[in-house]
Amino acid sequence: MYGMVNKAVEDMVCLHHGEAVWEQIKSEAGVDVDVFMSNESYSDDITYLLVAAASKVLKMPVEQILIGFGEHWILHTAQEGYGGLLQASGKNLPDFLRNLPNFHSRVAMIFPKLQPPRFECANITAGSLKLHYYSHREGLAPFVVGLMQGLGKMFKTPVTVRLVEAKTQGADHDVFDVTWTTAPAA
Ligand code: HEM
């Protein structure tokens, strides 16, 4: 994955636990990289090793680290670095989610070697939809949960996310039930 992903893991850990803990996590992971370059590609293994080491050092389950990372990705990485891209993709949560299937094709203009996830929206109602998530990577469903929670906070729209079909349980891909509070009529 692009270095910006590992850099974002670093930012999240440093923000909440400080630099010394980040150094400990890198050493536990056996990752010997001083500075991650945002627009260089790194092996996915590095990201998985860092997340596993963070889980061990912080004594938190991997799922919880990934959920926190999803929120951090939206509320810090994306909002601070790519605010324009986010704003162009919808002015409220339901609009943003409906546009999500096309989102990473814009990201790919900045990062040409991107291997993005694929999203599809189905069963769309005023207050819910089913989000289908396809990836060639494993174990990132909790990251998607965190991303949805982060978007809910960004749009100040309470949101609930439930994994209803899981690849880890034999499903073809992950499916989430995403439900939000609809704004009262003005
Ligand atoms: C401006 C904001 C964003 C940028 C710049 C961005 C960029 C990226 C990058 C660089 C990766 C790593 C893939 C690679 O390097 O090959 C990635 C992965 C991913 N992104 Fe985004 N992204 C953004 C917003 C979002 C949003 C809003 C969502 C969903 C709500 C999302 C969902 C994901 C997921 C689930 C992955 C994991 C890859 C996988 O499943 O295979 N991203 N993104």
Side-chain angles (χ1 to χ4, degrees):
M1 293 203 241
Y2 273 102
M4 68 169 292
V5 176
N6 302 323
K7 218 165 154 3
V9 176
E10 174 177 354
D11 286 348
M12 175 181 73
V13 170
C14 288
L15 184 67
H16 298 291
H17 307 280
E19 244 171 76
V21 173
W22 172 244
E23 289 304 324
Q24 207 184 329
I25 288 170
K26 271 204 301 188
S27 129
E28 172 70 36
V31 170
D32 186 18
V33 177
D34 262 349
V35 179
F36 289 107
M37 308 303 286
S38 286
N39 45 13
E40 264 178 33
S41 283
Y42 294 81
S43 157
D44 282 6
D45 293 351
I46 293 186
T47 312
Y48 283 94
L49 284 168
L50 288 172
V51 170
S55 157
K56 197 166 167 195
V57 170
L58 302 174
K59 299 184 177 59
M60 281 162 69
V62 165
E63 291 71 24
Q64 211 178 317
I65 304 267
L66 286 173
I67 291 173
F69 184 48
E71 285 205 17
H72 185 89
W73 185 261
I74 297 296
L75 298 173
H76 295 271
T77 318
Q79 272 198 315
E80 287 160 20
Y82 304 88
L85 204 57
L86 285 183
Q87 275 161 23
S89 210
K91 54 186 184 326
N92 53 47
L93 182 71
D95 276 359
F96 192 94
L97 292 177
R98 276 192 294 267
N99 290 330
L100 194 55
N102 299 319
F103 188 85
H104 282 86
S105 54
R106 294 199 193 173
V107 176
M109 293 180 192
I110 317 172
F111 297 103
K113 281 188 258 166
L114 193 77
Q115 291 183 283
R118 186 157 69 82
F119 290 106
E120 278 171 18
C121 296
N123 305 62
I124 302 174
T125 74
S128 70
L129 55 74
K130 281 208 161 41
L131 184 69
H132 292 253
Y133 161 57
Y134 303 82
S135 171
H136 69 279
R137 302 183 173 96
E138 299 300 326
L140 297 181
F143 177 51
V144 176
V145 171
L147 288 163
M148 294 299 118
Q149 291 177 181
L151 287 171
K153 287 186 182 169
M154 186 178 94
F155 287 113
K156 298 188 174 50
T157 301
V159 64
T160 330
V161 195
R162 213 159 45 89
L163 181 61
V164 289
E165 285 175 44
K167 218 171 146 185
T168 52
Q169 305 289 315
D172 169 70
H173 61 276
D174 294 309
V175 184
F176 301 87
D177 228 333
V178 186
T179 310
W180 57 89
T181 308
T182 46

